[in-house]
């Protein structure tokens, strides 16, 4: 199971480290290895969030996420995205931006770093909305009940998460954005605009995905009505999609498509701090892409492992820990508009929260006599990454 799930990651690691050694020697090999560890530690909670969404998608779209999705994550976010940021902020053409990244690494790093306030505001507000919508939703399982119970009660006001996100954005623009650490000067307008863009992106992509997902569930429930056997009802509901019923396939496809977009935006938001933080180690875009890309492969493989093993069903507080980590990362991103926070701290916060939620899940299972590898239904997912 381990080799089947992480086989591609092991292979890419070996190939990537060998390539780094050939191109840049022992120093380059060490830098690529450090970048890989940085990406894994910073994005560990991303795997838990991805698994929670990926298990809702059918096998076809899971495969898309694990193939096209990894190309977007590695080449799009770790290589192309920083170059695009430079091109937009410096008003350069794509070719000029690439030449700058290759031939004038110091200037390239300065331009990417100066764009950090906009990136942090977009990613921070997007991730904050994910956390707020989670904490305000009524759930069967509560990890920190002293927080989650009152939050679920006041969360019945539908627009509360939006109001809080806008207030946080406004406070950030009036405080940390007035004198930023990256690029200097007052970036209040930039932070406000980018934060609103992050909020709109979340509402549009998440809203459309949720709409189609809910509609698909309603159609499946209608198809299953009147069937005494629940399992047969589920099979009946799924059967039209397998047999080529156009309406059901199209609806499922739309729901999965927007969930895929949602996943990619989440991954992008998680990768912002990793890309910016990587400049503390190297300003070579190819080293950066290779190191962060290897780390991203392990996050994808870990996502597959969590889905395939049904880990989120066995350890019910893991998603809570991951969402608290998301909330912490959102706050950290907004703070870094003005203040420097080391990537080790960012990574440790997420790892510690997930570790605590895992430990709480283990204690709960033992208390209720449920083994860690419970016999609940496991989600099948392609393990080609």
């Amino acid at each position: 199971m381990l080799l089947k799930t992480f086989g591609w990651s092991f292979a890419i690691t070996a190939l990537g480290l060998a390539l780094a050694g050939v191109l840049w020697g022992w120093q380059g090999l060490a830098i690529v290895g450090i970048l890989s560890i940085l990406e894994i530690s910073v994005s560990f909670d991303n795997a838990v969030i991805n698994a929670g969404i990926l298990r809702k998608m059918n096998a076809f779209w899971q495969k898309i996420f694990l193939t096209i999705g990894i190309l977007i994550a590695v080449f799009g976010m770790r290589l192309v995205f920083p170059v695009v940021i430079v091109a937009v902020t410096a008003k350069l053409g794509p070719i000029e931006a690439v030449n700058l990244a290759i031939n004038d690494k110091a200037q390239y790093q300065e331009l990417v770093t100066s764009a950090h306030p906009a990136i942090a505001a977009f990613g921070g507000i997007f991730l904050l909305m994910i956390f707020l919508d989670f904490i305000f939703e009524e759930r069967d399982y509560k990890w920190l009940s002293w927080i989650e119970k009152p939050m679920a009660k006041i969360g019945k006001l539908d627009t509360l998460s939006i109001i809080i996100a806008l207030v946080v954005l406004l406070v950030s623009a009036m405080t940390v954005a007035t004198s930023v650490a990256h690029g200097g000067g007052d970036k209040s307008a930039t932070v406000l605009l980018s934060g609103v863009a992050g909020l709109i992106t979340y509402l549009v992509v998440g809203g459309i995905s949720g709409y189609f997902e809910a509609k698909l569930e309603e159609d499946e429930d209608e198809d299953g009505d009147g069937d005494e056997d629940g399992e047969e009802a589920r099979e009946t509901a799924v059967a039209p999609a397998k047999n080529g019923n156009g309406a059901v396939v199209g609806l499922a496809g739309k729901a999965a498509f927007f969930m895929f977009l949602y996943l990619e935006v989440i991954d992008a938001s998680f990768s912002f701090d990793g890309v910016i933080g990587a400049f503390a180690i190297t300003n070579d875009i190819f080293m950066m892409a290779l190191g962060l890309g290897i780390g991203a492969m392990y996050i994808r493989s870990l996502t597959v492992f969590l889905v395939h093993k049904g880990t989120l069903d066995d350890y019910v507080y893991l998603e809570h820990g991951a969402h608290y980590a998301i909330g912490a990362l959102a706050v950290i991103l907004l703070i870094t508009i003005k203040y420097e926070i080391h990537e080790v701290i960012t990574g440790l916060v997420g790892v510690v929260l997930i570790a605590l939620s895992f430990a709480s899940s283990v204690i709960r299972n033992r208390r209720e006599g449920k083994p860690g590898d419970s016999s609940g239904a496991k989600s099948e997912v392609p393990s080609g990454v």
Side-chain angles (χ1 to χ4, degrees):
M1 172 62 189
L2 185 65
L3 185 60
K4 184 179 180 181
T5 304
F6 289 88
W8 276 103
S9 295
F10 294 153
I12 294 297
T13 300
L15 182 62
L17 292 178
L19 183 62
V22 170
L23 295 177
W24 304 296
W26 288 106
Q27 182 179 4
L29 189 150
I31 290 174
V32 169
I34 292 171
L35 287 171
S36 302
I37 296 172
L38 169 68
E39 177 67 14
I40 294 170
S41 63
V42 170
S43 300
F44 187 82
D45 44 355
N46 192 10
V48 180
I49 299 300
N50 286 351
I53 300 172
L54 190 65
R55 61 179 176 173
K56 301 177 183 178
M57 302 167 73
N58 61 31
F60 172 77
W61 280 100
Q62 288 175 351
K63 196 72 173 179
I64 292 293
F65 175 72
L66 298 172
T67 52
I68 296 176
I70 192 64
L71 293 177
I72 295 173
V74 175
F75 296 103
M77 289 308 303
R78 275 74 179 181
L79 182 61
V80 177
F81 173 73
V83 176
V84 171
I85 288 295
V86 169
V88 172
T89 56
K91 298 179 181 178
L92 300 174
I95 296 178
E96 292 176 287
V98 172
N99 287 333
L100 185 68
I102 296 174
N103 300 317
D104 192 349
K105 295 182 175 63
Q107 178 67 11
Y108 169 77
Q109 177 179 345
E110 182 179 342
L111 290 172
V112 173
T113 305
S114 66
H116 178 72
I119 296 171
F122 181 96
I125 294 301
F126 186 91
L127 293 176
L128 181 62
M129 283 297 298
I130 295 175
F131 168 71
L132 291 174
D133 277 352
F134 178 86
I135 200 70
F136 287 143
E137 184 178 345
E138 182 65 44
R139 299 185 173 278
D140 294 333
Y141 301 107
K142 293 178 176 61
W143 180 32
L144 305 179
S145 57
W146 56 278
I147 294 177
E148 294 167 17
K149 283 184 178 179
M151 290 298 101
K153 290 180 180 179
I154 65 175
K156 293 178 181 179
L157 178 62
D158 292 338
T159 59
L160 185 59
S161 58
I162 299 175
I163 294 171
I164 292 177
L166 288 173
V167 170
V168 170
L169 176 60
L170 184 61
V171 171
S172 300
M174 295 173 62
T175 55
V176 293
T178 55
S179 178
V180 304
H182 308 275
D186 189 339
K187 299 287 186 179
S188 299
T190 300
V191 166
L192 274 174
L193 183 62
S194 300
V196 169
L199 178 61
I200 292 173
T201 301
Y202 174 83
L203 293 175
V204 171
V205 179
I208 294 175
S209 174
Y211 167 76
F212 283 119
E213 183 183 0
K215 195 165 180 15
L216 179 61
E217 290 177 356
E218 288 177 7
D219 286 0
E220 289 183 350
D221 288 340
E222 290 176 3
D223 289 341
D225 285 344
D227 197 319
E228 296 180 358
D229 190 306
E231 184 62 29
E232 290 180 8
R234 285 190 290 273
E235 291 175 359
T236 303
V238 175
K242 293 182 179 180
N243 293 334
N245 183 309
V248 175
V249 170
L251 185 60
K254 290 175 184 177
F257 172 72
F258 282 104
M259 275 198 284
F260 172 76
L261 292 182
Y262 183 54
L263 274 171
E264 291 306 316
V265 178
I266 290 176
D267 182 76
S269 300
F270 271 99
S271 67
F272 289 154
D273 58 333
V275 171
I276 297 297
F279 281 107
I281 300 171
T282 181
N283 54 15
D284 188 303
I285 61 168
F286 299 110
M287 278 190 191
M288 194 181 301
L290 186 57
L292 296 180
I294 291 173
M297 285 292 298
Y298 279 96
I299 296 302
R300 283 300 197 277
S301 295
L302 182 59
T303 299
V304 174
F305 181 82
L306 293 175
V307 175
H308 187 76
K309 295 290 288 183
T311 305
L312 300 185
D313 295 323
D314 294 338
Y315 303 98
V316 295
Y317 299 138
L318 268 181
E319 282 191 277
H320 295 71
H323 280 87
Y324 279 108
I326 282 182
L329 178 57
V331 173
I332 288 172
L333 277 173
L334 294 173
I335 292 174
T336 57
I337 292 174
K338 182 174 183 177
Y339 302 102
E340 298 282 354
I341 297 180
H342 201 281
E343 292 73 31
V344 172
I345 297 176
T346 305
L348 282 177
V349 168
V351 171
V352 168
L353 285 169
I354 291 177
L356 290 174
S357 65
F358 176 79
S360 297
S361 299
V362 171
I363 294 172
R364 173 188 176 276
N365 289 346
R366 289 177 178 174
R367 184 173 62 245
E368 298 189 2
K370 297 179 180 179
D373 56 347
S374 65
S375 58
K378 305 296 187 280
S379 301
E380 291 299 327
V381 63
S383 55
V385 174

